[in-house]
Amino acid sequence: MSATRLLVLGVVRGFGRTHGYRVRAELLSWGIDDWANVKPGSIYHALRQLAKDGLLEASEIAHWPGRVDYSVTPAGDEEFFRLLVDALERPEHRADMLSAGLALMPALPRGRAVAALSTRLGVLEAQRAVLRRESAGACAEGTPAHLGELWAMRVRYADLGVEWTRDLLERVASGGYEMAGERELTFGMPGAWRALAEPFVK
């Protein structure tokens, strides 16, 4: 549920105060049904659970029976940034967690995003070095040629992960994409979710 928690916290945080249908509509407009394992029902479940955990504040609307508005608590803001940085730093996550991190990356100040991606790159490079050594050892021990393709495939994927992360890091570091604190945005406007609240400086 971490990817769902991250996405829901990020969207509620961006709108400042909003309801479940608006969160769902916003996430569907991002195409999450194509790149994240997030079902519409899980969005409403996440809203209720996050409120129960004290990460969102739930407010019933008196003149609109059945409607509940949500806003992020200070604890929720802290959890949002923890999940976001973790999604970008750690390559062992499932693809939907990285996708959620990329979708919300502009909520970070540029320097913090660069630091997170630098950490990710370092881990990927270390993993690739180990994989190359293991691959060379397996081939030297006489692994059947067709099984060598398994090692070749794993090394190729490791190369791709390193190259993509390095390219993204360079784009972010050189000024690509607007990041938190770089432009005044208005509540409810496209992109406003990414830069609201105090800049994250940890």
Side-chain angles (χ1 to χ4, degrees), residues 28 36 53 59 61 67 73 86 88 102 108 111 116 119 165 186 192:
L28 289 176
D53 294 343
S59 305
I61 308 304
R67 173 169 159 173
T73 65
D86 190 65
L88 295 174
L102 291 173
L108 292 172
T119 297
T165 303
T186 305

Side-chain angles (χ1 to χ4, degrees), residues 9 12 16 20 23 26 40 43 64 66 68 70 73 89-90 98 104-105 109 117 136 142 155 162 169 171 175 184-185:
L9 281 170
V12 173
V23 172
E26 179 72 10
I43 294 171
W64 195 330
V68 177
Y70 297 90
T73 65
E89 282 185 345
R90 295 176 53 194
L98 173 59
L104 293 162
M105 181 178 67
L117 292 171
V155 170
V162 167
L169 175 57
R171 286 193 295 276
E184 289 297 324
L185 295 169

Side-chain angles (χ1 to χ4, degrees), residues 67-141:
R67 173 169 159 173
V68 177
D69 278 3
Y70 297 90
S71 57
V72 177
T73 65
D77 208 46
E78 184 176 335
E79 175 70 355
F80 167 71
F81 282 115
R82 185 191 70 77
L83 289 171
L84 177 54
V85 169
D86 190 65
L88 295 174
E89 282 185 345
R90 295 176 53 194
E92 64 269 25
H93 284 306
R94 292 182 351 180
D96 61 344
M97 193 64 181
L98 173 59
S99 298
L102 291 173
L104 293 162
M105 181 178 67
L108 292 172
R110 189 173 305 280
R112 190 63 188 90
V114 167
L117 292 171
S118 296
T119 297
R120 182 185 192 86
L121 180 60
V123 172
L124 288 172
E125 288 175 332
Q127 290 175 344
R128 180 176 66 173
V130 170
L131 189 57
R132 283 177 170 172
R133 286 196 301 272
E134 291 176 346
S135 175
C139 292
E141 292 171 4

Side-chain angles (χ1 to χ4, degrees), residues 3 11 21 25 37 70 98 106 116 164 175 189:
V11 171
Y21 180 80
N37 186 27
Y70 297 90
L98 173 59
W164 175 81
M189 295 298 290

Side-chain angles (χ1 to χ4, degrees), residues 10-11 13-16 22 26 30 106-107 183-197:
V11 171
R13 179 180 180 272
F15 282 122
R22 193 179 189 192
E26 179 72 10
W30 298 2
R183 183 165 67 100
E184 289 297 324
L185 295 169
T186 305
F187 281 93
M189 295 298 290
W193 52 269
R194 64 189 170 191
L196 297 178

